[in-house]
Each structure stands twice: as C-alpha cells, then as structure tokens.
C-alpha cells in the first residue's frame, strides 16, 4: 500500500491512495473531492468508476459537486432559511429560492488541512477545517475532521467528526457519482440497486420534501428486492417525473441488513456495497447533469452516474418526523459510511 502526494496549482494537492490489489482512490484537498476510483472488473481490468473532470481546474466552477464533501448541510433547505431557538437564520438562495449543499461557498470550495497516514491494514488522508460562526449564514464555530481510508479489502471508508460551540444544523456527505460500467462506457440505466428501505420522502415541484413520508411498496421506489434504475427513469411515476426522469429522493433506511445499499453492473461484474450508520440517503441519478462537459473518459450526459448521499434530512428543519440535523454544543457529530467494491 502506498500514498503519492502531488502538488498542483493554487495550493491544491492530489493524494493517490493505492492498495495491494491495485485499487486507487484519488482525492484533492480542495473540496475533499474524490476525482477517481480505480476498481477491477470480474476479469481484473482496473477502470474508473466515478465521474471526474479531465482537467482538474474544472472543479473550481463545477455546478454538479462531483466527488465533493458537502456541508454544512447536505441537500436543500426550503426557502433558504430556518428557525432555531426563536431566531431565523437567512442563508444563500443558490438553488432557485432554496439553499443547496451549504451554498456556493460551502465545504466543497474549502482547501482543507490534510494529513496522510499509513496503518497496518489501511492508508488514508485526514482532512480538517474550522468553519467560523456566521459562515454561510449558519450559527456556531464548527471543528471538523473527515477521514478517507482505503483498505486491502477494497473498502473506501469515510469517517466524519464535528463539534460546535452553538446549536446548529449539520449533516455531511460525499457527492460522488458512481458508474460501475468502468470508464463511463455506459449510462446507469441498467445498474441493479438494492436499498434497505420501505419509505421515502415525497418531493414537491421544487425538489423540496413536501412533509409526507410515502410507502415504497408497489412503486418504482421499492428497491428492497433489487431493481434496475431504468424502472424509475422510464416509469412516468409522478415522483420520478418531478425529479426530472429519475430519482432525487431521500430514502429512510430500515437498517434491517448490514449492507444498506448494494449496486451491481452485470456486464463488468462490479458490485458496490454500502454500509452506513446514517438514517437515510438521497439517491440522485444525474437527471440534471448537462451534456458536453469534458470528463476524464467521456463527455457528460444525463444519467451518466448515480449518487448515494448518506446523510440526515435537512427537511427536518421544517417538518417533524424526519431524521434530525441539529448538533448541540455538548454533542459530537460522528458518522461513518463504507463503500466496498467486489465482483461477481
């Protein structure tokens, strides 16, 4: 196992983590962005399984959050405002009238402090950042650390930890777009996905949760027995149509299985299993991905990747019963998500 550090322009650094199986994770200190994940197919061919730019400088102006660390609050906050302990906090409206992914200067734009490490069975990079009270409109000084760890079991482990000195909303995630076909040879229509979830949040026409928890059974949102993503992309179901022909919905996990999500791509034989202690995730099938951007292996187009944004729900700021995003000064935010790559 080894780590290579490459100095880029503007104080950016790239870290290449390589395990003993030839799996490679490349990430930047800018935005904590994962730029590539090289993983073998069933025949041992190592290919990239995430979307990333050909030119690294394109991440500066990326509207898609490719591979980025998201915060302070992942997802959309209705009306770009929330009330906490009697005080209304106004945020940047960077998604119509709503606030998305921490705003245009969120954690995806930060140059993080970094420390690489090598342990007996893993290598990785620990990223840290201090977010000041009032930054982005949010209350509280936040101390953050996020660890990216690659093991010889072909696992990418993300560990998040944060504290605050004022009560504040916080939920972090990674926004990688996965495509297990390898080197973007195909779209994600035929990816088979299993999700340990029987409920999801209804969206309104602005992609904001309407306050209703819907049952997935007998809809294209029931992934408990596995189904291809094209079932929803092509379904004509009202909720899939609202999302732009696909999924951009928060799934509430049942946590009845160790593996919360399992994704298979039958041509390559690649399998991605996700374990997490988060209460749910947004699955986003790149419905709004614009065409023609120069990615590492191909030009971008709709439905070229799928995101599994494990997190709590920012809709809990406006609706009860949803997974809470509030962090108090006497608490430590601690979350873990594992992406495990195998073949069959």
């Amino acid at each position: 196992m080894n780590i290579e550090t490459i100095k880029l322009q503007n104080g950016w650094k790239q870290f290449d983590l390589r395990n003993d199986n030839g799996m490679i994770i490349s990430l930047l200190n800018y935005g904590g962005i994962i730029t590539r994940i090289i993983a073998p197919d069933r025949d041992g061919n190592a290919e990239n399984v995430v979307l990333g730019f050909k030119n690294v400088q394109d991440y500066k102006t990326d509207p898609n959050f490719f591979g980025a660390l998201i915060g302070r609050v992942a997802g959309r906050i209705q009306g770009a405002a929330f009330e906490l302990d009697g005080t209304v906090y106004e945020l940047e409206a960077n998604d119509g009238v709503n606030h998305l992914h921490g705003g245009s200067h969120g954690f995806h734009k930060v140059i993080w402090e970094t420390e690489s490490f090598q342990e007996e069975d893993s290598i990785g990079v620990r990223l840290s950042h201090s977010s000041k009270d009032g930054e982005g409109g949010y209350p509280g000084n936040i101390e953050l650390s996020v660890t990216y760890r690659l093991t010889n079991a072909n696992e990418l482990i993300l560990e998040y930890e944060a504290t605050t000195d004022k009560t504040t909303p916080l939920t972090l995630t990674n926004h990688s777009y996965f495509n297990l076909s390898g080197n973007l040879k195909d779209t994600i229509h035929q990816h088979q996905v299993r999700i340990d979830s029987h409920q999801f949040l209804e969206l309104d026409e602005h992609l904001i949760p309407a306050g209703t928890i819907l049952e997935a059974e007998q809809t294209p949102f029931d992934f408990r027995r596995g189904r291809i993503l094209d079932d929803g992309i092509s379904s004509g179901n009202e909720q899939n149509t609202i999302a732009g022909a696909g999924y951009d919905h928060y799934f509430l996990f049942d946590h009845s299985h160790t593996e919360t999500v399992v994704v298979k791509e039958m041509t390559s034989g690649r399998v991605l299993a996700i374990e997490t202690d988060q209460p749910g995730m947004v699955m986003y099938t790149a419905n709004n991905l614009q065409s023609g951007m120069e990615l590492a292996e191909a030009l971008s187009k709709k439905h070229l990747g799928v995101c599994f944004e494990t997190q709590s729900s920012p809709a809990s700021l406006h609706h009860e019963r949803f997974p809470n995003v509030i962090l108090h000064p006497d608490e430590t935010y601690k979350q873990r998500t594992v992406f495990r790559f195998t073949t069959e």
Side-chain angles (χ1 to χ4, degrees):
M1 307 181 86
N2 66 73
I3 304 173
E4 183 180 1
T5 305
I6 302 166
K7 290 187 176 180
L8 306 173
Q9 299 174 357
N10 311 318
W12 292 17
K13 294 179 188 174
Q14 175 179 311
F15 297 88
D16 292 338
L17 314 179
R18 185 187 302 263
N19 72 7
D20 293 340
N21 307 316
M23 186 170 167
I24 303 170
I25 310 287
S26 294
L27 64 117
L28 303 175
N29 64 340
Y30 177 74
I33 293 168
I34 294 173
T35 60
R36 63 175 182 158
I37 297 177
I38 306 296
D41 66 8
R42 68 163 64 91
D43 298 318
N45 300 310
E47 295 172 309
N48 186 21
V49 295
V50 292
L51 276 62
F53 286 110
K54 186 173 185 178
N55 180 354
V56 71
Q57 295 302 317
D58 286 346
Y59 289 105
K60 273 188 199 171
T61 54
D62 175 25
N64 307 288
F65 304 92
F66 284 150
L69 272 177
I70 303 297
R72 288 189 183 190
V73 173
R76 292 177 174 86
I77 295 179
Q78 180 180 339
F82 63 92
E83 184 177 336
L84 191 59
D85 297 333
T87 301
V88 174
Y89 294 90
E90 302 281 347
L91 308 172
E92 176 193 4
N94 64 320
D95 184 59
V97 298
N98 303 308
H99 177 80
L100 175 65
H101 290 334
S104 57
H105 299 286
F107 294 162
H108 63 292
K109 295 291 188 183
V110 166
I111 296 182
W112 293 68
E113 296 293 321
T114 53
E115 176 191 7
S116 58
F117 62 86
Q118 183 155 358
E119 297 173 352
E120 185 178 349
D121 59 350
S122 67
I123 52 174
V125 178
R126 190 169 291 107
L127 301 97
S128 57
H129 175 60
S130 298
S131 180
K132 300 305 180 190
D133 183 24
E135 205 170 87
Y138 292 95
N141 293 294
I142 306 284
E143 295 296 328
L144 297 147
S145 76
V146 182
T147 302
Y148 289 67
R149 186 187 303 271
L150 174 63
T151 74
N152 272 329
N154 285 5
E155 297 168 322
L156 170 61
I157 303 173
L158 273 58
E159 296 162 317
Y160 304 87
E161 191 165 323
T163 57
T164 180
D165 63 357
K166 287 184 185 176
T167 300
T168 192
L170 185 81
T171 186
L172 310 177
T173 197
N174 178 272
H175 207 281
S176 288
Y177 292 67
F178 293 93
N179 184 323
L180 301 185
S181 69
N183 290 350
L184 305 183
K185 287 195 291 294
D186 202 352
T187 61
I188 46 90
H189 287 77
Q190 298 303 312
H191 278 44
Q192 295 183 9
V193 178
R194 193 180 81 227
I195 304 174
D196 184 16
S197 167
H198 76 282
Q199 293 179 319
F200 66 101
L201 303 191
E202 180 185 12
L203 295 181
D204 68 17
E205 65 273 16
H206 303 294
L207 304 180
I208 293 291
T212 310
I213 297 174
L214 298 179
E215 293 294 323
E217 191 165 1
Q218 296 185 328
T219 77
F221 292 82
D222 190 353
F223 285 88
R224 287 173 293 175
R225 296 171 190 83
R227 70 188 322 142
I228 59 170
L229 292 174
D230 190 49
D231 286 355
I233 291 170
S234 302
S235 75
N237 176 285
E238 183 184 8
Q239 281 293 299
N240 292 124
T241 302
I242 280 173
Y247 300 90
D248 196 359
H249 294 74
Y250 189 90
F251 289 79
L252 292 154
F253 291 144
D254 296 341
H255 283 301
S256 60
H257 301 285
T258 303
E259 294 175 337
T260 315
V261 182
V262 179
V263 189
K264 298 181 180 181
E265 203 282 320
M266 301 313 293
T267 303
S268 69
R270 289 188 180 91
V271 179
L272 168 61
I274 302 172
E275 294 178 16
T276 186
D277 51 13
Q278 293 277 21
M281 73 167 183
V282 173
M283 182 171 72
Y284 172 54
T285 47
N287 318 313
N288 302 313
L289 183 58
Q290 59 268 54
S291 299
M293 293 183 298
E294 196 168 12
L295 306 183
E297 300 89 10
L299 295 178
S300 64
K301 60 183 174 182
K302 188 172 180 173
H303 301 138
L304 193 57
V306 54
C307 303
F308 303 101
E309 303 164 50
T310 56
Q311 59 178 88
S312 282
S313 172
S316 62
L317 293 168
H318 296 93
H319 301 285
E320 296 179 0
R321 298 191 304 143
F322 295 173
N324 179 42
V325 296
I326 299 301
L327 180 68
H328 298 279
D330 59 345
E331 299 171 327
T332 299
Y333 177 92
K334 212 166 187 177
Q335 300 289 351
R336 185 175 189 264
T337 297
V338 180
F339 300 92
R340 182 180 301 110
F341 295 86
T342 57
T343 59
E344 64 175 34

